[in-house]
Amino acid sequence: MKTIYLLLTAFLITINADAQKITFNDMMKSALHMHDTASTWPAEKAVADYYGKVIKEYPDEWLSAYWATYIYTQLANSLGRADGSPDNVKKADLLDEAQRTQDVAMKRYQGDSAEIKSDLYIMQSFIYYFRNVYGEEEEKESWIAKADEEMKKALQFNSYNPLAYVLMGTSMVRSDNFKEVIAGRLLLQKAKALFADVDEHRALTTQWNEEWLRFFWLGHADNMVKKTLFGE
């Protein structure tokens, strides 16, 4: 009788623990909310740490590692400019962390979706882009070549990838050539439309640079068109 009681108690404890465990989807939504509301460098670092927790709690999921990679690239890019930036952290170390989580995402994804594979290669290209921006001068050319190669792989899997459209479009609208600026704006507008076609909560998608359109780049593209056409 005592054995049955102990087994029943253990069973009920297990059920209760499972019931209290936060779901993967809820944790992903919480992480994105933290990111969307972060206003300082330490707050964004807390986002990366939280994604790290999701990665550990759900070892079969790749998307948490994918988003963590994006957050680490943003931590590297904003270091020294964002409020609360620490003095004892290096951009290269943050990009190393981005590569570590990217490797986790690549290893965990075992599916055959061309779209997801494309998204994974674009993230790798993004890391290499920042390696170029913040790396040693003698290494810049090799990092750019690697970034371009990963982007090419991504587009081979999905040539209509909105993530790629945003990266290419934001680069093109910085040009002084009005034709390139207008073409870049078209890419950004197309990316916005493709993002809008996805019904799923953004935290559960790969749409990390969709926020760039809302916060800055679409409006900036319009301004650049006026500047290159009318000198405004």
Side-chain angles (χ1 to χ4, degrees):
M1 186 69 179
K2 184 177 180 181
T3 300
I4 295 175
Y5 173 77
L6 290 174
L7 289 173
L8 180 60
T9 301
F11 177 69
L12 291 174
I13 290 174
T14 301
I15 292 177
N16 186 53
D18 288 341
Q20 292 180 350
K21 186 176 182 180
I22 304 175
T23 67
F24 174 77
N25 287 4
D26 285 342
M27 291 188 79
M28 291 295 289
K29 291 175 183 177
S30 294
L32 183 61
H33 177 72
M34 291 172 64
H35 167 63
D36 286 343
T37 57
S39 59
T40 65
W41 197 94
E44 188 76 334
K45 178 59 168 61
V47 179
D49 293 340
Y50 190 80
Y51 274 120
K53 181 179 179 181
V54 186
I55 291 169
K56 290 180 180 178
E57 290 201 18
Y58 290 91
D60 295 328
E61 299 285 354
W62 63 273
L63 189 60
S64 49
Y66 184 82
W67 272 93
T69 302
Y70 171 60
I71 298 301
Y72 275 116
T73 64
Q74 300 310 285
L75 286 169
N77 191 38
S78 63
L79 183 66
R81 296 184 290 111
D83 290 343
S85 294
D87 297 326
N88 60 342
V89 177
K90 297 179 180 179
K91 291 178 182 289
D93 292 338
L94 293 167
L95 293 176
D96 286 344
E97 284 299 306
Q99 187 61 64
R100 182 184 64 80
T101 52
Q102 170 70 0
D103 291 344
V104 171
M106 293 288 286
K107 182 178 180 179
R108 287 185 179 182
Y109 182 70
Q110 298 295 315
D112 57 3
S113 167
E115 287 79 10
I116 292 176
K117 289 179 180 179
S118 178
D119 294 343
L120 287 165
Y121 280 120
I122 283 178
M123 186 65 80
Q124 186 61 67
S125 176
F126 197 50
I127 295 172
Y128 288 155
Y129 166 78
F130 281 119
R131 293 284 195 191
N132 163 66
V133 173
Y134 298 117
E136 299 295 331
E137 189 65 35
E138 62 271 15
E139 298 177 342
K140 286 182 177 293
E141 189 172 331
S142 65
W143 286 125
I144 280 294
K146 289 181 178 180
D148 287 347
E149 181 61 28
E150 296 300 307
M151 179 63 76
K152 183 177 179 181
K153 291 178 185 177
L155 293 173
Q156 286 171 345
F157 278 106
N158 178 18
S159 61
Y160 295 95
N161 192 319
L163 298 174
Y165 285 1
V166 172
L167 294 179
M168 291 186 290
T170 54
S171 176
M172 293 169 71
V173 298
R174 301 174 194 178
S175 172
D176 293 327
N177 184 296
F178 74 91
K179 293 179 182 179
E180 191 165 349
V181 172
I182 290 175
R185 184 176 65 172
L186 286 173
L187 282 176
L188 296 179
Q189 291 171 338
K190 180 60 177 178
K192 180 182 178 182
L194 289 171
F195 285 141
D197 285 341
V198 178
D199 294 329
E200 205 164 12
H201 193 288
R202 186 166 151 264
L204 306 178
T205 73
T206 56
Q207 295 182 359
W208 46 272
N209 62 15
E210 181 270 343
E211 64 188 15
W212 299 7
L213 303 180
R214 287 183 285 118
F215 295 138
F216 180 74
W217 280 104
L218 277 176
H220 182 65
D222 288 337
N223 291 334
M224 289 302 294
V225 168
K226 294 177 182 177
K227 181 180 177 180
T228 55
L229 288 178
F230 305 108
E232 295 182 5

